[in-house]
Amino acid sequence: MKLPLFPLQSVFFPGETVPLHIFEERYKQLINDCRKEAITFGIPVYIYDGLTYGTEVQLVEVVTTYEGGEMDVVCVARQVFKIITFDNEIDGKPYAGGIVQFLDNVNDADRAVKQEVLNGIEELYGLMGVPYSSIPLEKFNSYILAHKMGLSFEQEFELLQMPKESERLSFIKAHLLATVSVLKEVDRTKRTIEMNGDFRNFDPLDFKDFKI
């Protein structure tokens, strides 16, 4: 499929709301074309000095149009794609575009693993002292909190490329286990430091039957 492309150094996951400030002339044209022709466009992730994967987005609303033509718009992310070809201009338009191949999203999630991931997220938020709102298991998927669990930009890009929900949940679970482990160690170290210098009661050791 051929899509207009708007490269950004950002990762957007399917279902996510995407707010954009549009100021370049070519992308003003893109948004106007989306409004007139009801077309979608792709946001490929600029990473490692290249463009390989991205997310198709659909314009939902032009929130504000400024005097100079700049716009604040809201889009929603739809499907992940792999870039097959890239052109700086497409079909006589000033913006870039190319042929993309959509990834088939395989919803093979295991309920037990989903629950483990949810538990891990809740534990992470608890250790960080961040408010956590419970998410019903049937409404939870790997994309919902992907930006809110401490993944690096590179890790988010790696997650984006995974077509199977089971793979994504496994990836997130491993990240949560590692992060929670580090935070627990930091908390233990903090408590140890805070105890330093305090008067403490020590249980005397019994050496009555001790021999060398």
Side-chain angles (χ1 to χ4, degrees):
M1 179 177 178
K2 187 181 288 187
L3 273 183
L5 297 175
F6 184 177
L8 290 174
Q9 200 167 14
S10 301
V11 174
F12 296 108
F13 296 106
E16 180 180 358
T17 298
V18 182
L20 298 172
H21 179 68
I22 308 298
F23 58 92
E24 288 188 54
E25 291 300 325
R26 55 181 169 169
Y27 296 125
K28 292 178 191 176
Q29 179 67 54
L30 172 58
I31 296 301
N32 286 329
D33 287 349
C34 288
R35 297 175 76 178
K36 293 175 184 176
E37 304 170 27
I39 60 173
T40 60
F41 62 98
I43 299 183
V45 184
Y46 182 75
I47 187 172
Y48 306 128
D49 297 321
L51 302 168
T52 51
Y53 288 86
T55 312
E56 178 197 24
V57 301
Q58 181 175 15
L59 178 67
V60 175
E61 181 184 8
V62 177
V63 179
T64 307
T65 301
Y66 299 92
E67 188 175 338
E70 297 180 19
M71 291 175 274
D72 291 331
V73 305
V74 174
C75 303
V76 63
R78 294 171 37 141
Q79 304 178 76
V80 179
F81 60 78
K82 181 178 182 180
I83 294 180
I84 307 302
T85 66
F86 180 87
D87 298 299
N88 285 319
E89 294 183 357
I90 182 174
D91 298 333
K93 302 290 186 178
Y95 45 79
I99 296 173
V100 305
Q101 179 181 350
F102 290 110
L103 273 61
D104 291 329
N105 181 39
V106 182
N107 189 13
D108 60 348
D110 181 271
R111 286 180 61 86
V113 176
K114 286 177 68 173
Q115 188 62 63
E116 288 179 19
V117 170
L118 271 176
N119 293 342
I121 293 171
E122 185 173 5
E123 184 176 13
L124 173 66
Y125 278 41
L127 287 168
M128 295 179 66
V130 176
Y132 174 77
S133 298
S134 181
I135 302 173
L137 188 64
E138 59 274 10
K139 293 185 178 180
F140 175 70
N141 66 65
S142 57
Y143 294 137
I144 288 179
L145 295 175
H147 290 308
K148 298 181 179 180
M149 58 182 71
L151 293 173
S152 68
F153 177 48
E154 292 77 13
Q155 286 175 315
E156 288 189 355
F157 182 63
E158 187 175 351
L159 184 69
L160 186 73
Q161 300 172 58
M162 297 178 183
K164 294 183 178 181
E165 178 70 352
S166 58
E167 290 180 297
R168 297 191 293 264
L169 288 172
S170 179
F171 180 82
I172 291 171
K173 179 182 172 182
H175 166 75
L176 288 171
L177 287 172
T179 305
V180 165
S181 176
V182 170
L183 287 175
K184 283 182 175 178
E185 183 62 24
V186 169
D187 185 61
R188 186 197 67 80
T189 302
K190 180 182 176 182
R191 284 187 280 106
T192 301
I193 292 171
E194 289 173 346
M195 287 175 61
N196 190 33
D198 291 347
F199 290 101
R200 289 169 284 167
N201 291 323
F202 293 94
D203 293 329
L205 299 174
D206 185 1
F207 290 100
K208 183 179 178 180
D209 299 318
F210 180 74
K211 294 180 181 180
I212 296 179

